[in-house]
Amino acid sequence: MDVPTNGQTRLVILGATGMVGGYAIRYALDHPAVGPVTAISRRTLGISHPKLREVLHQDFADCSALASTLSNQDAAIFCLGAYTGAVSDAQLRAVTVGYVVEFARVLRASSPDVAFSFLSGKGADPTGRSRMAFARYKGEAENALIASCFPRLYILRPAYIYPVEPRKEPNLSYSVLRSIYPVFRTLFPNQVVRADDLAHVMVDLAVGRSGPAPSQILENRDIRSVIHSLRRPQTEREKGRA
């Protein structure tokens, strides 16, 4: 295996054209501990950076052609997903389970020592008993990843992800949550997380800069704790300069 320049992490991101993935790639490109960043997507990102390599791939149900791209990677972030109601149930399961399993299969074979950071969701049900399809499918995907035995696996289960930047909301529920976000955040702080903060945690976990355990499932409360731990050293440095 090639050694990253100056100990930097070689990172691959799937889903960089989405909300969380978009923040993740911007953070990774500016991260001093991250070296080459490979973004795999169906369309170009529209950004240019000396660390960035874009790979276009149309059929994530078959990632065999990505074996070379995924070789010699140190960390991977999976943010690809679909909203309930935006696609058929069959397509929701294909994206939520099928794409994850297929990508993980090729990644694990191509880079056996890779760290994997996976965007799951609150309520994910590994038992498969939930009445909510999204919860069952996310749980099924989590089970498959755990069975893949990645040396470092981080499964993040955020609750409501606040978009931060204006966007067209996928459904009425998201529109309502965005409009009441300030109040909702005050009343239920452990039920919300900013999209950019979530992305930063996913990157930092994958590159090994945070996280008390080599593999773990992080609920929304845990994600917020990591965010606070990442901010604390910066605040202490700022106090030292005062």
Side-chain angles (χ1 to χ4, degrees):
M1 178 179 289
D2 298 333
V3 178
T5 304
N6 298 324
Q8 291 179 311
T9 299
R10 293 162 297 204
L11 178 67
V12 59
I13 299 179
L14 199 66
T17 57
M19 180 177 65
V20 177
Y23 283 114
I25 197 160
R26 280 176 275 177
Y27 180 64
L29 291 173
D30 291 335
H31 202 304
V34 177
V37 178
T38 302
I40 304 174
S41 58
R42 289 194 176 98
R43 64 180 189 274
T44 58
L45 302 178
I47 60 177
S48 178
H49 194 282
K51 288 164 57 171
L52 177 63
R53 176 194 179 196
E54 291 192 66
V55 175
L56 297 182
H57 185 75
Q58 298 301 318
D59 184 12
F60 288 102
D62 183 0
C63 293
S64 299
L66 295 173
S68 177
T69 297
L70 296 177
S71 65
N72 296 324
Q73 297 290 342
D74 300 302
I77 294 175
F78 193 103
C79 298
L80 189 63
Y83 289 103
T84 301
V87 297
S88 67
D89 181 74
Q91 184 62 17
L92 180 65
R93 186 178 185 280
V95 175
T96 310
V97 183
Y99 290 4
V100 178
V101 173
E102 175 61 6
F103 179 78
R105 177 187 70 83
V106 179
L107 175 66
R108 187 77 171 87
S110 301
S111 296
D113 298 325
V114 72
F116 196 98
S117 189
F118 174 62
L119 182 58
S120 185
K122 177 180 173 60
D125 180 17
T127 70
R129 298 171 184 171
S130 175
R131 295 181 179 181
M132 297 178 60
F134 176 83
R136 294 196 308 274
Y137 298 158
K138 281 294 188 183
E140 187 176 350
E142 290 183 5
N143 287 339
L145 290 177
I146 293 171
S148 296
C149 297
F150 283 95
R152 287 171 52 219
L153 172 64
Y154 301 100
I155 295 173
L156 291 88
R157 295 176 175 174
Y160 171 61
I161 305 173
Y162 178 61
V164 183
E165 298 176 358
R167 67 166 186 170
K168 181 180 179 181
E169 297 297 337
N171 55 47
L172 179 60
S173 296
Y174 279 89
S175 297
V176 171
L177 282 171
R178 184 184 182 92
S179 66
I180 65 171
Y181 173 72
V183 175
F184 192 66
R185 177 188 58 190
T186 301
L187 295 176
F188 308 102
N190 287 312
Q191 297 301 317
V192 299
V193 63
R194 287 170 56 105
D196 53 351
D197 285 340
L198 174 60
H200 295 179
V201 170
M202 293 190 73
V203 172
D204 281 305
L205 286 170
V207 301
R209 296 307 189 269
S210 59
S215 297
Q216 58 191 132
I217 296 176
L218 295 94
E219 301 289 351
N220 201 91
R221 180 187 297 272
D222 305 315
I223 296 169
R224 285 171 52 83
S225 295
V226 175
I227 292 168
H228 294 152
S229 69
L230 292 174
R231 288 174 175 168
R232 191 177 303 116
Q234 181 179 0
T235 302
E236 291 173 352
R237 287 195 300 270
E238 290 172 352
K239 288 181 179 179
R241 291 195 296 266

